[in-house]
Amino acid sequence: MKLPYAEPYRMKMVEAIHTSTRNEREKWIAEANYNLFNLPSSRVYIDLLTDSGTGAMSDRQWAAMMTGDESYAGALSFYRLKEQVEKIFGFEYFLPTHQGRAAENVLFSALVKPGDIIPGNSHFDTTKGHIEYRRATAVDCTVKEANDTRLELPFKGNVDCNALEEVLRSHPRDKIPFVCLTITNNTSGGQPVSMANMREVSALSKKYGVPLLIDSARFAENAYFIKTREREYSDKTIKEIVAEMYSHADMMTMSAKKDGVVNIGGFVALRDRELFRKVSVFSIMFEGFITYGGMSGRDMDALAVGLDENTEFEQLHARISQVGYLGKKLDEYGIPYQRPSGGHAIFVDAKQVLTSVPKEQFIAQTLGIELYLEGGIRAVEIGAILADRDPATRENRYPQLELLRLAVPRRSYTDNHMNYIAAALKNIYDRRNAITTGYRITYEAPIMRHFTVELAPVTPKI
């Protein structure tokens, strides 16, 4: 008999989580103005809002925290992390930040100006927010196949290189500070980018003299998919694949709270010394001195270990297999999602579930609220609320995809929790035709509104 697969770790500590009644959840979501971000964590049973900073650290990471050097300047923790970054990614220059959006803020402050154009593959919310805040424009060049959630393609996060070249060719060089490649492509469903596509994007960037930036939150998961889906890389280690990936890039930003498996942290890494000096000014202004940049020494040490551990196949296989397991349960129930299953999350196709809810009433957000009411499960909308308003016209943008992201924290939940999530979605799917109205906005911030938006139910017409 072939032995079944088992995770390459065991649990040393657990945290109690508590169930609640539907009546309680109805009261709590109303108090939160129907924004799942506003819920206290104690009112959530299974939290799939994000995999950012929510994973379980290893014993080696916790041990490393005890060696943290909290010196303001020149901390040993900084040098240990810098060495790991250079070893894994190949960048000589490195600036720690407290998280990924801080890395974007530091780098974009040096590079992005009003009127600029930044092409890429489905820029994530904070990336697009930092671009649009600076009165520049993010241009999405993701392959069109990503918009069909039913298609089973291995690299739906890829850049459409014809579309990218059209942007590069039709704008002056000084209007394009960089091309932004996001791995994995979160907004289009946690879909990976192939090494072949990275090579082509890099070649185009060099042809037009534009630097290539890799947004690297889930770089290790992307490397896993390259190993398992691109035949020529099947015998390569994850670390070898990562080294080749970043050989094509000029700079990187990272939210280390994802594939670094830490609770806080991020960084900018660069090849160019003069750009490093320019960016360092903004690091000191916004984050802190260049050898800590918003991170404590103990967190830098935990990240150094996390980067090493999470660029090993076994850890990634366990994590991505659990996401795949949830996808297979949804397949059993006929629930549509962005196929194939992503690295960090399942993205339920809300348009295909709630077919009677008008787009103006925020379909994916409506599904997210239904999931919370059904089972105390918190997910996040990747749809019209996140897409925000057009900066010029101030009209709502309605993306082709309305997705509900179920982001699975690393090493935090069991397959029994995945079964519970799938059953809750099945119950909603079974009564989907009875859900005909959604929500309207009663308050929104001028940018990145989805974090703080307030909503109210739309009253059905009689």
Side-chain angles (χ1 to χ4, degrees):
M1 175 180 182
K2 184 179 178 181
L3 296 178
Y5 171 76
E7 292 80 6
Y9 55 84
R10 60 182 180 183
M11 298 175 187
K12 275 190 173 181
M13 183 184 294
V14 295
E15 175 188 359
I17 54 177
H18 303 285
T19 58
S20 56
T21 67
R22 185 180 179 96
N23 286 341
E24 288 174 324
R25 295 192 292 273
E26 287 174 353
K27 175 176 176 289
W28 293 339
I29 194 65
E31 290 174 352
N33 293 302
Y34 299 94
N35 183 345
L36 294 154
F37 282 95
N38 288 340
L39 289 167
S41 63
S42 60
R43 295 178 175 179
V44 175
Y45 179 51
I46 298 177
D47 202 342
L48 308 179
L49 186 75
T50 183
D51 62 323
S52 180
T54 57
M57 291 201 301
S58 72
D59 54 351
R60 284 185 59 216
Q61 287 179 287
W62 284 107
M65 292 183 76
M66 299 304 295
T67 66
D69 177 2
E70 307 302 341
S71 299
Y72 184 93
L76 294 177
S77 300
F78 166 81
Y79 291 106
R80 288 191 283 263
L81 178 54
K82 183 180 186 299
E83 180 182 5
Q84 194 68 264
V85 169
E86 188 167 0
K87 179 180 176 182
I88 292 174
F89 302 102
F91 291 100
E92 181 178 358
Y93 301 103
F94 160 75
L95 290 165
T97 62
H98 78 275
Q99 62 183 57
R101 70 194 63 182
E104 292 171 340
N105 187 39
V106 166
L107 182 63
F108 292 8
S109 292
L111 292 178
V112 181
K113 61 186 184 300
D116 279 352
I117 304 293
I118 293 94
N121 57 336
S122 302
H123 312 69
F124 194 54
D125 57 349
T126 60
T127 313
K128 188 168 70 172
H130 279 299
I131 291 168
E132 293 182 348
Y133 177 74
R134 290 167 173 81
R135 298 181 183 176
T137 302
V139 179
D140 185 5
C141 298
T142 308
V143 292
K144 297 295 187 292
E145 291 85 351
N147 289 323
D148 187 344
T149 60
R150 296 164 295 183
L151 278 178
E152 286 274 0
L153 295 176
F155 294 103
K156 289 169 84 171
N158 278 357
V159 172
D160 179 336
C161 287
N162 290 328
L164 174 61
E165 184 159 25
E166 177 60 29
V167 174
L168 294 172
R169 185 172 50 235
S170 58
H171 293 88
R173 164 66 186 87
D174 64 354
K175 288 293 184 183
I176 305 178
F178 52 84
V179 173
C180 182
L181 184 65
T182 305
I183 58 175
T184 55
N185 188 334
N186 190 359
T187 305
S188 71
Q191 297 296 308
V193 177
S194 71
M195 189 74 81
N197 191 247
M198 290 186 198
R199 285 194 293 265
E200 194 172 354
V201 170
S202 178
L204 276 175
S205 299
K206 287 180 172 63
K207 176 181 176 180
Y208 289 92
V210 176
L212 176 59
L213 166 70
I214 296 184
D215 178 351
S216 310
R218 299 176 181 89
F219 76 96
E221 292 175 9
N222 201 97
Y224 173 92
F225 285 123
I226 289 174
K227 178 177 175 64
T228 56
R229 297 180 183 176
E230 240 171 320
R231 184 175 299 176
E232 64 184 289
Y233 292 95
S234 61
D235 294 329
K236 298 281 189 181
T237 67
I238 297 296
K239 285 183 169 66
E240 288 171 337
I241 293 169
V242 169
E244 183 173 339
M245 285 162 52
Y246 284 90
S247 72
H248 300 299
D250 299 289
M251 49 192 169
M252 66 180 290
T253 55
M254 183 169 182
S255 169
K257 298 164 68 177
K258 285 85 168 176
D259 273 357
V261 201
V262 289
N263 303 130
I264 199 71
F267 58 84
V268 179
L270 310 151
R271 301 196 193 282
D272 185 86
R273 184 182 182 189
E274 290 308 309
L275 180 57
F276 169 76
R277 286 177 167 174
K278 187 176 180 181
V279 173
S280 294
V281 174
F282 296 101
S283 176
I284 293 168
M285 285 174 61
F286 299 138
E287 289 291 290
F289 187 58
I290 59 174
T291 59
Y292 76 90
M295 291 186 73
S296 66
R298 57 185 174 271
D299 288 318
M300 286 191 280
D301 272 311
L303 176 54
V305 174
L307 289 172
D308 179 46
E309 290 183 337
N310 206 43
T311 46
E312 294 296 334
F313 180 82
E314 291 78 10
Q315 292 296 325
L316 290 163
H317 184 62
R319 187 273 193 290
I320 293 171
S321 293
Q322 186 176 55
V323 175
Y325 176 84
L326 176 56
K328 289 175 183 176
K329 294 301 295 183
L330 298 190
D331 288 340
E332 291 178 20
Y333 301 140
I335 298 169
Y337 61 91
Q338 175 68 291
R339 307 180 69 89
S341 57
H344 71 287
I346 294 293
F347 290 70
V348 179
D349 189 338
K351 272 188 180 179
Q352 299 300 316
V353 177
L354 302 183
T355 57
S356 299
V357 176
K359 67 180 182 180
E360 295 83 7
Q361 295 177 20
F362 308 112
I363 304 166
Q365 181 71 12
T366 301
L367 182 58
I369 293 167
E370 289 294 328
L371 183 58
Y372 176 72
L373 292 172
E374 181 67 32
I377 302 160
R378 174 160 64 175
V380 72
E381 183 251 29
I382 308 290
I385 294 180
L386 182 143
D388 224 314
R389 293 181 181 273
D390 184 284
T393 67
R394 301 309 298 162
E395 294 295 320
N396 277 318
R397 291 184 283 209
Y398 295 104
Q400 189 162 341
L401 293 177
E402 281 277 343
L403 303 172
L404 182 68
R405 188 184 73 173
L406 314 174
V408 180
R410 294 157 184 82
R411 301 182 295 215
S412 297
Y413 293 113
T414 69
D415 286 353
N416 282 333
H417 293 109
M418 301 302 109
N419 293 335
Y420 179 93
I421 295 160
L425 279 166
K426 180 185 185 302
N427 289 345
I428 296 168
Y429 194 64
D430 288 346
R431 57 179 172 82
R432 63 191 182 279
N433 293 331
I435 304 170
T436 59
T437 59
Y439 294 81
R440 58 182 177 84
I441 293 175
T442 60
Y443 164 80
E444 62 184 293
I447 194 166
M448 290 195 284
R449 65 185 182 183
H450 58 290
F451 290 108
T452 57
V453 69
E454 295 179 3
L455 302 150
V458 173
T459 304
K461 292 181 179 179
I462 300 174

